[in-house]
Amino acid sequence: MNPQRLHSFTLLLVPLFLLAALFAGCSSNVSQNSNSHSKTLTFSWSEDIGNLNPHTYLPNQFFTQAMVYESLVAYGEGGKIEPWLAEKWEMSPDGKEYLFHLRKDIKFSDGSTFNAAVVKKNFDAVLGNAKEHEWLELINQIKSTEVVDEFRFKMILKNSYYPALQELTLIRPLRFLGEAAFPDNGKTFEGIKKPIGTGPWVLSEYKRGEFATFTRNDLYWGTKPKINKIVVKVIPDGEARVLAFENKEIDLIFGNGLISQDSFKFLKDTGNYETHLSEPTSTRIVQLNSNRGATKDLKVRMAIQHAFNKQAVIDRVFYGLEKKSDTLFSTNFPYSDVHVKPYEYDVERAKQLLDEAGWKEVPGKEFREKDGKPLELQLLFISTHNIQKAVAEVIQGDLRKVGINVKLTGQEEEAHWKTAFQGEFELLFNESWGAPYDPHSYVSAMSKAAEQGNTDYLIQLGLPMKKDMDQKIGKVLLSTDENVRRALYADILTTLHEQAVYLPISYQSNMAVYHKNVSGVNFMPQPYEVPFTTIDVQ
């Protein structure tokens, strides 16, 4: 997430020869839909789209991976699991075996057949790099896979795992790359030859850091998109994005954090454009590192919770467009309706807690000290994320009032996560992952170190009950007793709240702003997708 930053995703460096092959291969598709009646939608994003590898994470962007690659099953409205590349499936009585019946009419964008053999090849590639994906418990639970016949594929688990189908809907890493795109050694984590998927779009032109052009996949098995071409322009700055939109250089702004709430309100108030907010998708949070600096102390973490005026941020920065959150997950998510006492805004209580922690006010000095050292905290944020930057400045001001010096560090996305995965922060912006991840996938990842880093795991390392909590997480994911599962989730979420390692701010939504000649813009069940297949341009 932003989710971009979510899942503690790792940066994968693609060898230069493979990167060259990847985008050399794109040129063959440039003329696929070139005609005088073609419809083009111009979109923008804050970062480069990455190398479009379906099995890896940053610098890849969710929405572009979802344009090219598809899953066996889909996450539908209301969380319903729907057929997709698999037309149906059967589960064994013990919940350990899944038999998928694949559709027989599907071709990859290069014309090759989608079948059980290529499904297994993709599973094998992901499982061959399992350490990279250990945050996703399904990967840890897969015992073996099997080609039953040309269009039937079997997945065998070590244990009954209740979120298995939900995790098969995810945008990464279990989506499918065409045979011809695999490197000769089959190790996709080292790079791919070119992006070949079954999805509705094909990457046809690309210039790193500037733009990417996608054309409609005329071999697509599903409903064809109404438009022929999508141009994704890289515009890091939110205000520059608004200006480009007003100048009609882009047709659509869609997502979270691409423009400020102030800009959204401005564009809405003009009445010249279509503007919409989705239902809440996830929780905007700040992570408090229990394993570094002053935030090792529970009383300091609690003081920060009380010192931050959430409602003022919602009123003045978000213009009331987001609802205040007091818990890590919205109570409408499964197993998340946990009754805990919120940390109310209370400056005097914050000061009292800091006094108790030994951080004392010093006459003539603005910031508290302990053993001669000032109370300083590092807050990391993504420099191109307009909302994070605005909220960071409020946090800095609020904590200054109680004697805490917050140093703001803004970096572009890849550098930001590299710093974060090394644990070099006391405070870090993040968010829950939303559907279909919350709460099971997010909670699962808390117990995994991950090969290249995992901030949820890192921030909890200083908790005295960390080992015990990780064991409970393991139990809740494999529990087949609904009552036991509910009790374990309540225990885990209550502990996290009481230990104050997550500062929930608000329930965030996706923004959509577009010109009046654009139609068919809707919000998807997975908040990281953009509805390009339903959009039309007049």
Side-chain angles (χ1 to χ4, degrees):
M1 194 211 354
N2 153 321
Q4 292 108 293
R5 54 336 223 176
L6 53 79
H7 314 337
S8 306
F9 290 149
T10 57
L11 172 60
L12 181 68
L13 299 177
V14 180
L16 291 177
F17 79 93
L18 284 175
L19 194 60
L22 168 65
F23 296 114
C26 296
S27 60
S28 63
N29 296 306
V30 172
S31 62
Q32 180 170 296
N33 290 292
S34 57
N35 60 69
S36 59
H37 303 291
S38 66
K39 295 181 178 182
T40 299
L41 179 85
T42 305
F43 182 63
S44 79
W45 200 249
S46 57
E47 309 285 341
D48 185 77
I49 67 165
N51 49 54
L52 275 181
N53 186 331
H55 301 158
T56 60
Y57 307 106
L58 287 175
N60 294 298
Q61 300 299 317
F62 273 118
F63 78 97
T64 50
Q65 286 173 305
M67 293 170 70
V68 176
Y69 304 106
E70 297 183 297
S71 52
L72 289 175
V73 292
Y75 188 83
E77 295 293 339
K80 182 181 178 182
I81 304 300
E82 300 175 342
W84 206 250
L85 297 182
E87 62 184 358
K88 62 180 180 179
W89 60 90
E90 295 141 17
M91 183 178 69
S92 63
D94 64 3
K96 294 182 181 181
E97 294 188 10
Y98 290 79
L99 178 63
F100 296 95
H101 299 256
L102 309 180
R103 296 184 189 274
K104 299 176 182 178
D105 58 343
I106 296 176
K107 301 288 185 183
F108 284 96
S109 59
D110 67 344
S112 61
T113 299
F114 173 80
N115 55 29
V118 78
V119 170
K120 180 170 172 55
K121 188 177 181 73
N122 276 265
F123 267 75
D124 289 347
V126 173
L127 294 172
N129 189 33
K131 188 69 175 176
E132 184 89 357
H133 312 296
E134 67 176 356
W135 65 271
L136 185 64
E137 185 60 27
L138 177 60
I139 301 299
N140 304 321
Q141 290 300 323
I142 295 176
K143 181 179 180 180
S144 62
T145 60
E146 177 185 336
V147 175
V148 177
D149 56 35
E150 186 177 6
F151 294 107
R152 288 193 298 168
F153 169 78
K154 182 179 286 188
M155 178 180 72
I156 303 168
L157 305 181
K158 300 170 186 173
N159 301 281
S160 176
Y161 179 58
Y162 84 89
L165 289 174
Q166 277 186 271
E167 295 191 348
L168 285 176
T169 71
L170 304 183
I171 293 172
R172 54 198 186 193
L174 286 172
R175 293 203 175 188
F176 301 101
L177 182 70
E179 177 82 24
F182 277 76
D184 293 340
N185 64 6
K187 298 179 179 179
T188 53
F189 61 88
E190 294 180 358
I192 62 175
K193 290 182 178 178
K194 51 187 175 181
I196 299 174
T198 62
W201 302 99
V202 177
L203 180 65
S204 57
E205 191 176 359
Y206 170 82
K207 189 168 184 180
R208 181 176 174 81
E210 294 188 23
F211 71 90
T213 300
F214 294 84
T215 48
R216 189 171 64 190
N217 176 12
D218 287 333
L219 296 178
Y220 186 51
W221 63 276
T223 303
K224 300 289 193 301
K226 295 181 174 65
I227 53 179
N228 305 85
K229 184 188 294 185
I230 297 168
V231 178
V232 180
K233 292 185 177 181
V234 179
I235 304 177
D237 179 68
E239 296 310 310
R241 181 173 294 105
V242 171
L243 183 60
F245 178 79
E246 290 183 294
N247 291 336
K248 297 187 176 181
E249 296 168 19
I250 58 176
D251 302 305
L252 169 69
I253 298 170
F254 188 100
N256 179 269
L258 294 172
I259 60 174
S260 67
Q261 301 275 11
D262 182 58
S263 294
F264 178 82
K265 185 176 184 297
F266 165 75
L267 293 171
K268 178 182 175 69
D269 290 348
T270 66
N272 297 327
Y273 315 107
E274 297 291 337
T275 58
H276 301 284
L277 281 175
S278 73
E279 292 297 314
T281 58
S282 56
T283 310
R284 192 185 304 280
I285 58 178
V286 174
Q287 296 179 325
L288 282 63
N289 193 345
S290 71
N291 199 42
R292 174 181 160 108
T295 49
K296 285 183 177 181
D297 192 323
L298 173 59
K299 289 185 176 181
V300 173
R301 299 196 302 272
M302 292 172 67
I304 292 168
Q305 301 265 354
H306 286 296
F308 177 49
N309 190 345
K310 296 181 196 179
Q311 193 59 53
V313 167
I314 289 166
D315 293 342
R316 299 170 193 169
V317 178
F318 299 161
Y319 296 95
L321 298 174
E322 295 189 7
K323 181 181 177 182
K324 187 176 75 160
S325 170
D326 291 314
T327 54
L328 178 57
F329 303 119
S330 172
T331 56
N332 65 337
F333 277 94
Y335 311 109
S336 301
D337 189 8
V338 179
H339 300 287
V340 293
K341 183 179 179 180
Y343 292 96
E344 301 292 354
Y345 176 56
D346 188 337
V347 171
E348 293 308 310
R349 177 60 178 151
K351 290 180 178 179
Q352 179 186 350
L353 286 163
L354 292 173
D355 284 336
E356 292 173 4
W359 292 98
K360 303 295 185 180
E361 293 179 334
V362 179
K365 293 187 177 181
E366 184 174 11
F367 301 112
R368 291 172 178 263
E369 292 185 1
K370 183 177 182 179
D371 300 327
K373 294 181 179 180
L375 180 48
E376 295 181 350
L377 306 177
Q378 189 86 350
L379 171 57
L380 299 186
F381 68 96
I382 298 174
S383 58
T384 57
H385 196 294
N386 294 273
I387 295 175
Q388 285 188 7
K389 183 177 180 181
V391 178
E393 291 171 352
V394 176
I395 291 174
Q396 184 183 52
D398 280 355
L399 269 59
R400 181 184 295 270
K401 295 174 184 176
V402 297
I404 302 174
N405 183 16
V406 177
K407 295 189 172 182
L408 306 183
T409 300
Q411 297 174 304
E412 61 86 27
E413 189 176 26
E414 291 180 21
H416 168 86
W417 288 112
K418 183 177 180 180
T419 302
F421 292 153
Q422 292 170 348
E424 297 177 0
F425 64 90
E426 281 80 35
L427 307 174
L428 172 73
F429 277 102
N430 217 320
E431 60 193 53
S432 72
W433 299 348
Y437 299 92
D438 293 343
H440 61 276
S441 295
Y442 194 96
V443 168
S444 173
M446 293 175 183
S447 64
K448 313 292 194 312
E451 190 171 27
Q452 301 297 325
N454 175 347
T455 60
D456 290 281
Y457 179 82
L458 288 173
I459 66 166
Q460 296 176 21
L461 283 176
L463 302 182
M465 69 294 293
K466 173 64 174 167
K467 184 176 180 180
D468 178 62
M469 190 165 62
D470 288 350
Q471 290 174 346
K472 290 176 181 176
I473 290 172
K475 289 178 182 178
V476 75
L477 295 171
L478 302 182
S479 174
T480 57
D481 186 311
E482 183 71 12
N483 292 327
V484 170
R485 194 182 297 160
R486 288 187 179 281
L488 285 168
Y489 270 119
D491 191 339
I492 293 163
L493 297 178
T494 298
T495 299
L496 291 172
H497 180 83
E498 291 174 349
Q499 290 297 311
V501 286
Y502 294 96
L503 194 169
I505 301 173
S506 61
Y507 299 121
Q508 61 186 12
S509 301
N510 276 335
M511 297 177 179
V513 184
Y514 49 99
H515 294 284
K516 292 186 180 292
N517 67 318
V518 177
S519 61
V521 179
N522 53 63
F523 297 107
M524 309 287 282
Q526 289 207 49
Y528 309 116
E529 294 187 71
V530 181
F532 292 127
T533 55
T534 61
I535 290 175
D536 200 359
V537 178
Q538 302 303 320

